[in-house]
Amino acid sequence: MTNILHSPFCNASLLAGLLFLFMGFMIRKFPPRSMKTWYGYRTFSSTINQQTWDEGNQYAAYVSRIMAYFLVPFGLICGFVFSTQSDVFMYVTISPVIFCALLLTGLTEWHLLQVFDEDGERRKGSV
């Protein structure tokens, strides 16, 4: 068990990528029906009303899957390139995870601002 945990294939990019992939497919397959559920994309913009909640979760699940398609191969490549878990290895594998998490939130919030106004009403011309 210790060999697996200390292997370069046990890295933040690979594990977070698998988590993003799982989250994206689960929210797509089983979307949270109400804002009272224990899971879902929960921010001020997404909890204005049911429409913003549904749109925010649908878009966050989509972006999450896209991020996973980047993180998983990156984590595998890092597993092959590095022979041990060094400090540089940690920085190289954790940095994309932080970037993707921030990008997921930023893109979803931007999308919600493009589709809805500040009162949660759908903007004219948005689908």
Side-chain angles (χ1 to χ4, degrees):
M1 183 67 166
T2 306
N3 290 339
I4 294 171
L5 292 177
H6 293 289
S7 165
F9 287 100
C10 183
N11 63 58
S13 291
L14 184 59
L15 298 176
L18 294 172
L19 183 65
F20 275 40
L21 191 64
F22 176 75
M23 180 188 81
F25 280 115
M26 289 306 290
I27 289 177
R28 181 175 159 214
K29 180 87 171 153
F30 304 106
R33 303 233 184 267
S34 79
M35 290 176 263
K36 295 182 181 183
T37 56
W38 60 273
Y39 68 99
Y41 179 79
R42 191 179 320 273
T43 62
F44 178 76
S45 299
S46 68
T47 57
I48 294 174
N49 59 34
Q50 190 64 39
Q51 287 179 327
T52 58
W53 174 255
D54 293 338
E55 183 73 26
N57 277 285
Q58 178 186 0
Y59 192 78
Y62 169 74
V63 173
S64 177
R65 290 190 312 270
I66 299 299
M67 299 295 172
Y69 297 146
F70 166 74
L71 287 172
V72 170
F74 184 79
L76 288 172
I77 290 169
C78 286
F80 286 116
V81 170
F82 290 92
S83 59
T84 62
Q85 292 183 355
S86 63
D87 288 343
V88 173
F89 170 81
M90 294 298 177
Y91 292 130
V92 167
T93 60
I94 290 173
S95 297
V97 174
I98 295 169
F99 176 77
C100 286
L102 293 173
L103 191 59
L104 169 71
T105 304
L107 287 174
T108 305
E109 291 299 307
W110 180 80
H111 176 75
L112 288 173
L113 288 173
Q114 298 302 309
V115 174
F116 298 100
D117 62 12
E118 60 275 352
D119 296 324
E121 299 296 322
R122 193 171 283 277
R123 294 185 188 272
K124 292 186 186 334
S126 63
V127 178

